[in-house]
């Protein structure tokens, strides 16, 4: 950019001859000098302000426009630099530096014909100008590549089109048409992420590019990024609030986004209804249906609806077999259903897809402990209650079974012995499952009444919760059972 200031002494002389003399001339020189210093210091906005003043003071001097163009280029505003370079060329048609710079910008914008005219004009006056020769060759190459890309695209050869466009975009990185064409190829080849990468810069390269904002909105939407979709379609509506296509998409995304966001904030039962609404709002984009099924699966596990959770989670797994969250949640549903082998299988499969998840590692460890524990003594099965049973349900089941298996109800010695064993298990189950701390340990795969599964055991005799066995004194002992 600073090379734009390396103009000939003849150009400087021309500036002073055509400039406005007197006090105004002094002010112009001051602005130009300040602009030069500020530009060198990297203070671009301040430098631009001084060059604006210089142009206002003398709108007939080509060099003033040329220098302001340099600041625009330093700020990355090539489109703003073009009018100043054109003005400089109009004021001084033989100003080769301005023609060369304009040709370079036009080439980067993909305007091959106009760029070629500038480079040829430079070579007519300076046939040995090496930069103009090289850039003219690039312009000719670019034109051929553009034609080749268009031909491949119309033949449906999208892979070749993309390969050709890589070189096109290398030569003309500011050309929105090449990026839009490559984005279209990526869409047709099923790679929306790369299409988004190409389309995003075109919203800045082309004025009022509502079409790009809308297409970006739809691409993000199809990938499940509804927030980014909403951002893009809003940019479209900022350019024209009456754009029918943008407004139609905006309403759809806004509705879906509101449903998804509110569902995350609700308690499980209400969230399920919201996710069901999501599937009705957008049944055609698999991402949202899969997400809704996944979240309903999660909510059903949270409200401990085991059977329904297994059904929904299985459907979600069928839709998205590599989703570790679905496998994790179905494993938890199997645990609620006391099907520990299947829970272990699901956690092991989930670990294959997300080996770094602590939740999955801990879940697998707990499922394995529960499986091992279930092969010994399962207090839920002893009482015949579900893992989600509350204290009232546990106590009710305990009273019924304790009354049924009280040893005094049996006559023969063998029957009494069997009843004693059953009765002890029933009483142990009641003690563990009605004590929040012991139940939490048991749910984590540890039997709080088993000395082997805890350090410092409960003392007394294993399995009997009250630390003595009322049946030890023989058949003559009559235990008066309190149903409490």
């Amino acid at each position: 950019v600073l090379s734009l200031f390396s103009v000939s002494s003849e150009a400087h002389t021309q500036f002073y001859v055509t400039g406005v003399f007197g006090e105004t001339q002094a002010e112009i020189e001051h602005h130009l000098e300040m602009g030069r210093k500020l530009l060198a210091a990297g203070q671009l906005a301040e430098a631009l302000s001084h060059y604006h003043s210089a142009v206002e003071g003398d709108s007939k001097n080509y060099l003033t426009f040329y220098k302001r163009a340099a600041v625009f280029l330093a700020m990355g505003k090539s489109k703003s630099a073009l009018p100043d370079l054109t003005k400089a060329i109009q004021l001084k048609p033989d100003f080769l530096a301005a023609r060369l710079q304009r040709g370079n910008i036009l080439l980067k914008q993909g305007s091959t014909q106009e760029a070629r005219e500038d480079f040829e004009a430079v070579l007519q006056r300076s046939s040995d100008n090496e930069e103009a020769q090289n850039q003219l060759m690039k312009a000719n190459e670019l034109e051929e590549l553009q034609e080749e890309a268009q031909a491949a695209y119309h033949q449906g050869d999208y892979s070749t089109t993309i390969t050709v466009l890589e070189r096109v975009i290398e030569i003309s990185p500011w050309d929105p048409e090449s990026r839009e064409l490559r984005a279209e190829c990526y869409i047709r080849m099923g790679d929306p992420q790369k299409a988004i990468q190409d389309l995003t810069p075109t919203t800045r390269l082309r004025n009022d590019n509502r079409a790009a904002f809308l297409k970006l909105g739809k691409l993000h939407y199809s990938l499940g990024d509804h927030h980014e979709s909403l951002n893009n379609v809003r940019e479209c509506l900022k350019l024209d609030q009456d754009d029918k296509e943008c407004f139609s998409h905006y309403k759809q995304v806004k509705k879906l986004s509101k449903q998804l966001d509110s569902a995350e904030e609700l308690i499980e039962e209400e969230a399920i209804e919201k996710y069901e609404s999501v599937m009705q709002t957008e049944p055609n984009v698999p991402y949202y249906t899969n997400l809704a099924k996944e979240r309903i699966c999660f909510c059903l596990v949270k409200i401990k609806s085991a059977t329904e959770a297994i059904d929904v989670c299985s459907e979600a797994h069928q839709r998205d077999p590599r989703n570790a969250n679905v496998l994790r949640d179905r494993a938890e549903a199997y645990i609620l259903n006391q099907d520990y082998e299947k829970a272990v299988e699901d956690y092991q499969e989930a670990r294959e897809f997300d080996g770094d998840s602590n939740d999955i590692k801990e879940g697998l460890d707990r499922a394995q402990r529960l499986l091992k524990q279930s092969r010994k003594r399962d207090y839920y099965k002893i009482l015949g209650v579900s893992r989600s049973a509350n204290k009232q349900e546990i106590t009710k089941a305990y009273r019924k079974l304790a009354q049924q298996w009280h040893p005094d109800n049996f006559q023969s010695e063998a029957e009494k012995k069997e009843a004693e064993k059953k009765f002890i298990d029933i009483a142990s189950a009641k003690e563990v499952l009605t004590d929040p701390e012991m139940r939490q340990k048991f749910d984590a795969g540890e039997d709080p009444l088993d000395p082997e599964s805890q350090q410092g055991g409960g003392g007394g005799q294993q399995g009997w919760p009250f630390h003595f066995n009322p049946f030890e004194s023989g058949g003559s002992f009559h235990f008066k059972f309190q149903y409490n």
Side-chain angles (χ1 to χ4, degrees):
V1 172
L2 291 175
S3 66
L4 291 176
F5 290 91
S6 302
V7 294
S8 65
S9 59
E10 180 188 348
H12 282 287
T13 303
Q14 180 72 13
F15 167 74
Y16 288 113
V17 170
T18 58
V20 179
F21 293 96
E23 187 176 337
T24 305
Q25 177 63 37
E27 289 176 359
I28 293 169
E29 288 183 28
H30 169 72
H31 286 307
L32 289 169
E33 179 62 18
M34 287 300 297
R36 185 188 66 77
K37 288 181 177 178
L38 289 165
L39 178 63
Q43 296 174 261
L44 303 181
E46 293 85 350
L48 185 62
S49 178
H50 282 285
Y51 282 116
H52 284 326
S53 298
V55 167
E56 289 171 8
D58 184 3
S59 61
K60 299 295 183 183
N61 191 277
Y62 72 93
L63 197 56
T64 312
F65 286 101
Y66 181 72
K67 290 185 174 182
R68 187 170 69 174
V71 182
F72 278 129
L73 285 173
M75 296 175 78
K77 297 180 177 181
S78 60
K79 283 191 287 188
S80 299
L82 269 181
D84 276 357
L85 290 170
T86 298
K87 185 68 175 176
I89 293 167
Q90 288 172 350
L91 291 168
K92 185 173 171 56
D94 62 345
F95 191 13
L96 303 187
R99 280 198 179 274
L100 196 56
Q101 286 297 335
R102 188 175 70 174
N104 288 338
I105 292 172
L106 290 168
L107 183 64
K108 287 183 177 180
Q109 290 181 342
S111 303
T112 52
Q113 182 60 39
E114 294 172 83
R116 185 190 291 109
E117 289 172 4
D118 273 339
F119 298 137
E120 288 174 346
V122 172
L123 290 170
Q124 282 176 3
R125 295 178 182 273
S126 177
S127 60
D128 60 346
N129 188 302
E130 192 175 338
E131 184 179 355
Q133 290 173 350
N134 291 335
Q135 294 300 84
L136 182 59
M137 288 174 62
K138 276 188 181 180
N140 292 331
E141 180 191 357
L142 179 60
E143 194 166 51
E144 292 176 5
L145 289 168
Q146 287 171 333
E147 291 174 0
E148 186 182 345
Q150 286 291 339
Y153 177 76
H154 289 301
Q155 290 169 6
D157 188 352
Y158 305 122
S159 180
T160 298
T161 308
I162 288 169
T163 302
V164 175
L165 287 173
E166 284 176 8
R167 175 59 180 159
V168 170
I169 292 169
E170 187 180 325
I171 298 172
S172 55
W174 302 338
D175 175 21
E177 287 185 14
S178 299
R179 291 183 181 274
E180 286 165 353
L181 183 61
R182 190 167 70 174
E184 189 60 35
C185 290
Y186 282 131
I187 290 170
R188 290 173 183 266
M189 292 180 71
D191 195 342
Q193 288 286 9
K194 285 187 178 177
I196 287 171
Q197 290 172 13
D198 264 339
L199 279 174
T200 301
T202 70
T203 60
R204 300 185 299 274
L205 293 171
R206 196 191 292 280
N207 292 330
D208 189 10
N209 201 346
R210 279 175 284 156
F213 279 121
L214 179 59
K215 189 169 280 190
L216 281 167
K218 289 182 175 180
L219 285 169
H220 281 294
Y221 184 77
S222 70
L223 291 171
D225 192 350
H226 55 99
H227 288 130
E228 193 58 38
S229 176
L230 203 55
N231 290 338
N232 277 280
V233 77
R234 278 174 175 155
E235 290 299 321
C236 178
L237 290 172
K238 282 181 187 177
L239 294 168
D240 183 0
Q241 62 181 6
D242 297 322
D243 189 299
K244 290 182 179 179
E245 283 192 88
C246 286
F247 187 67
S248 175
H249 185 62
Y250 171 77
K251 287 195 299 182
Q252 173 74 2
V253 185
K254 182 73 175 173
K255 180 181 179 181
L256 186 78
S257 187
K258 187 176 180 181
Q259 288 173 335
L260 286 168
D261 291 345
S262 62
E264 291 298 316
E265 298 169 3
L266 295 170
I267 59 173
E268 285 77 14
E269 291 92 336
E270 294 171 334
I272 290 171
E273 292 179 14
K274 284 290 183 183
Y275 287 120
E276 287 172 346
S277 297
V278 166
M279 290 189 287
Q280 292 174 357
T281 299
E282 185 47 83
N284 300 318
V285 178
Y287 174 88
Y288 298 109
T289 309
N290 293 351
L291 175 65
K293 285 288 182 184
E294 174 192 331
R295 299 303 293 164
I296 292 171
C297 158
F298 171 80
C299 292
L300 287 169
V301 172
K302 285 295 180 184
I303 62 174
K304 301 186 184 303
S305 183
T307 304
E308 192 178 355
I310 290 168
D311 289 342
V312 174
C313 294
S314 295
E315 185 182 347
H317 175 59
Q318 195 171 8
R319 288 170 172 271
D320 189 3
R322 300 178 65 85
N323 190 323
N325 292 336
V326 170
L327 286 163
R328 175 203 64 201
D329 293 336
R330 189 171 69 172
E332 288 300 312
Y334 279 134
I335 287 173
L336 286 171
N337 220 33
Q338 301 182 44
D339 194 340
Y340 307 117
E341 287 188 14
K342 286 184 178 178
V344 169
E345 288 173 8
D346 269 359
Y347 265 125
Q348 286 173 335
E349 190 176 347
R351 188 176 58 178
E352 292 176 17
F353 302 129
D354 189 0
D356 296 328
S357 169
N358 285 329
D359 281 350
I360 290 172
K361 288 177 183 175
E362 290 170 4
L364 176 58
D365 183 53
R366 181 164 51 85
Q368 288 171 332
R369 289 200 309 270
L370 287 168
L371 177 60
K372 184 179 178 181
Q373 179 190 83
S374 70
R375 289 167 177 166
K376 293 182 177 179
R377 185 166 57 172
D378 186 332
Y379 295 126
Y380 289 105
K381 285 185 177 179
I382 289 170
L383 293 183
V385 296
S386 70
R387 296 189 78 88
S388 58
N390 58 34
K391 187 173 182 179
Q392 185 179 1
E393 291 169 330
I394 290 166
T395 303
K396 183 180 178 181
Y398 160 71
R399 286 173 177 168
K400 182 179 178 182
L401 290 169
Q403 193 170 22
Q404 177 185 344
W405 287 99
H406 194 283
D408 287 351
N409 295 336
F410 299 89
Q411 300 300 319
S412 72
E413 195 63 32
E415 287 177 335
K416 280 185 178 289
K417 286 288 183 184
E418 178 65 21
E420 283 179 14
K421 183 177 181 300
K422 290 266 190 183
F423 191 87
I424 289 172
D425 283 344
I426 292 163
S428 298
K430 186 250 186 184
E431 183 190 17
V432 170
L433 298 184
T434 55
D435 183 293
E437 188 177 341
M438 285 200 287
R439 184 175 181 178
Q440 187 177 3
K441 285 183 178 181
F442 185 75
D443 287 345
E446 174 190 337
D447 186 346
L449 299 182
D450 183 355
E452 290 182 7
S453 67
Q454 58 169 354
Q455 291 185 348
Q461 297 196 33
Q462 177 186 351
W464 179 248
F466 309 113
H467 311 300
F468 72 99
N469 187 336
F471 308 115
E472 274 186 345
S473 51
S476 60
F477 182 87
H478 296 283
F479 178 74
K480 187 177 180 181
F481 179 66
Q482 298 293 327
Y483 299 105
N484 54 20

